[in-house]
Amino acid sequence: MKVLKCLAISIVILAFLLTPLLPFIPEEWSFQLPWVPLWGNVLKLEQAGIYGDFVGGFIGTIAFMVSVVILFISYQNQKETNRQNLDDQRQSSKQTVFDVRFYDMLKCHRENTAELEIEGKVGRRVFVSFIREFRKALSIVNALPETDSAQQLTTTSKIDLAYLAFYYGVGPNSTRLLRAATDHLPKASVEKVILEMGGAQVAYRELLKKPEDKGDLASRYLANLSKAEWELVRITYQPFDGHQSRLGHYYRHLYQMMKFVDSHPDKKMRRSYAALVRAQLSNHEQALLCLNSISKIGSAWSGENGFLQMYSMIKNIPKCFFDSEAEIDLEHQFPDMEFEYKDVERANKMPGKR
């Protein structure tokens, strides 16, 4: 279209430039054309009239036809421009709607995090205690006696059982939920964990009843507490009461937000939005999300098409955050995850780095 338009405009311009010059061409260039009105620099009225009819009838018709073509081409170009502008406006409107909803969801996530509270700890600080409580639950699972059922537990199964025990807890109602959630695991191991967790709760309450050094737990640790007792004290609240009321909606909303991010048509933009979400998660939040994804209730996060691997949601967990032998080997559990510490290690190995 652009080429045709340029050609038509060029023809019109050339015609308008050359036509007025025809009456003044030299006699020897005229080839004795009868309609040329100028012979020997003498203007002939009869030939001038013929020339005018020629210009008005023939050249004018060509100019009109060319003008029609130009007008049609201009109309098509304007139509295409309007369509493109409309598409751009629609795309911009869709992007604006997406951004508004995304940032509303991000704000809601921040509010969910800020509302988390347990025994005086608020917001992201609670995840530090959550990780400590999970580690206590995992130590109970790892200490199961060497029975046939215990030997059936793989490393992943142990983390699954420990996380479900941490998540649901034990108590009049919690124990029933925990048993239902762990029906895929050896029943004898589950019952032993429930019994040990109930004992840990009793031990914690007994520690708080001791009159000596009641307000100085650190001094009591140095003087009297065993390692197991100190693990309970550091949690700062009675363990294994369950956290589904705190974490249930937190993870549901986080998953829905990532599902919304994944619906964006542009792959590059999806990763950009996912990076913003990941930036909101502290190391302890990412660590608990990692554990949640290994458990039965968080299985939607993991897998080939899971958001955890797809958007590297836990890449900021430090290398030695988990004990690779006693807890979890991150690189073995998530072989495709590009952890941040790997980038640092590669950068340090570059020439010129010490």
Side-chain angles (χ1 to χ4, degrees):
M1 283 294 181
K2 290 184 178 180
V3 175
L4 289 176
K5 184 178 180 180
C6 292
L7 181 61
I9 293 175
S10 299
I11 292 174
V12 172
I13 292 175
L14 188 63
F16 276 100
L17 289 177
L18 295 181
T19 300
L21 298 178
L22 287 177
F24 304 101
I25 61 175
E27 183 177 355
E28 59 271 18
W29 295 358
S30 66
F31 301 104
Q32 304 300 317
L33 296 176
W35 45 266
V36 176
L38 187 65
W39 295 99
N41 295 325
V42 177
L43 183 63
K44 299 178 181 180
L45 296 178
E46 183 179 351
Q47 282 77 6
I50 296 173
Y51 175 75
D53 293 338
F54 168 76
V55 172
F58 183 74
I59 302 298
T61 301
I62 294 176
F64 172 76
M65 294 175 65
V66 171
S67 299
V68 171
V69 172
I70 293 176
L71 181 62
F72 176 75
I73 293 173
S74 298
Y75 169 76
Q76 291 295 328
N77 288 343
Q78 186 62 43
K79 183 178 179 181
E80 178 65 22
T81 300
N82 292 341
R83 186 190 67 79
Q84 186 63 43
N85 290 339
L86 184 60
D87 289 344
D88 291 343
Q89 290 176 2
R90 288 174 178 172
Q91 188 64 31
S92 177
S93 178
K94 289 181 180 178
Q95 183 62 44
T96 300
V97 171
F98 187 94
D99 285 344
V100 169
R101 185 176 176 188
F102 170 75
Y103 286 108
D104 281 345
M105 296 180 80
L106 200 63
K107 179 182 177 182
C108 186
H109 170 76
R110 293 185 187 132
E111 292 173 350
N112 288 341
T113 304
E115 289 173 358
L116 290 173
E117 187 273 333
I118 184 168
E119 295 296 330
K121 289 191 175 182
V122 181
R124 290 188 174 90
R125 294 181 60 196
V126 302
F127 287 91
V128 177
S129 294
F130 286 164
I131 293 296
R132 289 173 181 167
E133 186 179 356
F134 167 80
R135 283 183 162 133
K136 181 60 180 175
L138 184 60
S139 69
I140 291 175
V141 174
N142 287 334
L144 288 174
E146 293 295 329
T147 62
D148 291 339
S149 62
Q151 290 175 356
Q152 295 174 16
L153 292 175
T154 64
T155 300
T156 301
S157 296
K158 289 179 179 179
I159 294 173
D160 183 19
L161 176 54
Y163 184 84
L164 291 173
F166 153 81
Y167 183 80
Y168 288 104
V170 293
N173 297 318
S174 300
T175 300
R176 183 178 67 254
L177 292 172
L178 177 57
R179 287 189 177 120
T182 55
D183 58 357
H184 61 293
L185 296 170
K187 184 176 180 180
S189 296
V190 172
E191 292 301 323
K192 183 63 176 177
V193 169
I194 292 174
L195 182 63
E196 291 294 326
M197 289 171 61
Q201 289 180 331
V202 173
Y204 180 84
R205 290 193 294 269
E206 290 300 319
L207 281 172
L208 296 185
K209 290 179 181 178
K210 291 183 179 181
E212 68 277 7
D213 300 326
K214 189 170 183 179
D216 192 353
L217 294 178
S219 298
R220 194 192 307 173
Y221 166 67
L222 294 175
N224 305 311
L225 294 184
S226 66
K227 180 181 178 181
E229 290 175 329
W230 178 240
E231 289 175 350
L232 291 175
V233 168
R234 291 188 72 217
I235 296 174
T236 70
Y237 55 84
Q238 177 170 298
F240 311 131
D241 279 339
H243 301 288
Q244 58 177 319
S245 62
R246 298 181 181 88
L247 295 176
H249 74 288
Y250 172 89
Y251 282 123
R252 282 193 294 271
H253 180 269
L254 183 61
Y255 185 83
Q256 290 301 317
M257 181 162 55
M258 291 306 303
K259 189 175 180 180
F260 178 70
V261 167
D262 191 59
S263 69
H264 197 284
D266 190 318
K267 183 177 180 180
K268 186 176 180 180
M269 291 299 294
R270 290 201 297 267
R271 295 196 173 278
S272 178
Y273 286 117
L276 286 175
V277 176
R278 186 177 62 244
Q280 308 302 311
L281 307 178
S282 67
N283 289 351
H284 285 78
E285 284 180 87
Q286 292 187 27
L288 199 64
L289 176 60
C290 166
L291 300 170
N292 178 276
S293 71
I294 297 174
S295 72
K296 176 184 176 181
I297 58 176
S299 58
W301 283 99
S302 57
E304 184 179 351
N305 297 319
F307 299 142
L308 199 76
Q309 287 93 331
M310 189 183 301
Y311 297 111
S312 301
M313 296 299 294
I314 59 172
K315 68 174 293 184
N316 304 116
I317 299 177
K319 183 176 183 178
C320 298
F321 189 94
F322 291 112
D323 187 328
S324 59
E325 295 183 1
E327 296 176 332
I328 175 176
D329 187 337
L330 287 175
E331 293 188 27
H332 176 74
Q333 189 73 35
F334 303 98
D336 299 327
M337 185 72 64
E338 283 297 323
F339 288 99
E340 188 178 39
Y341 64 77
K342 291 183 179 180
D343 296 334
V344 176
E345 290 175 350
R346 282 194 291 267
N348 290 335
K349 291 179 181 179
M350 291 177 62
K353 294 286 186 179
R354 293 185 180 179

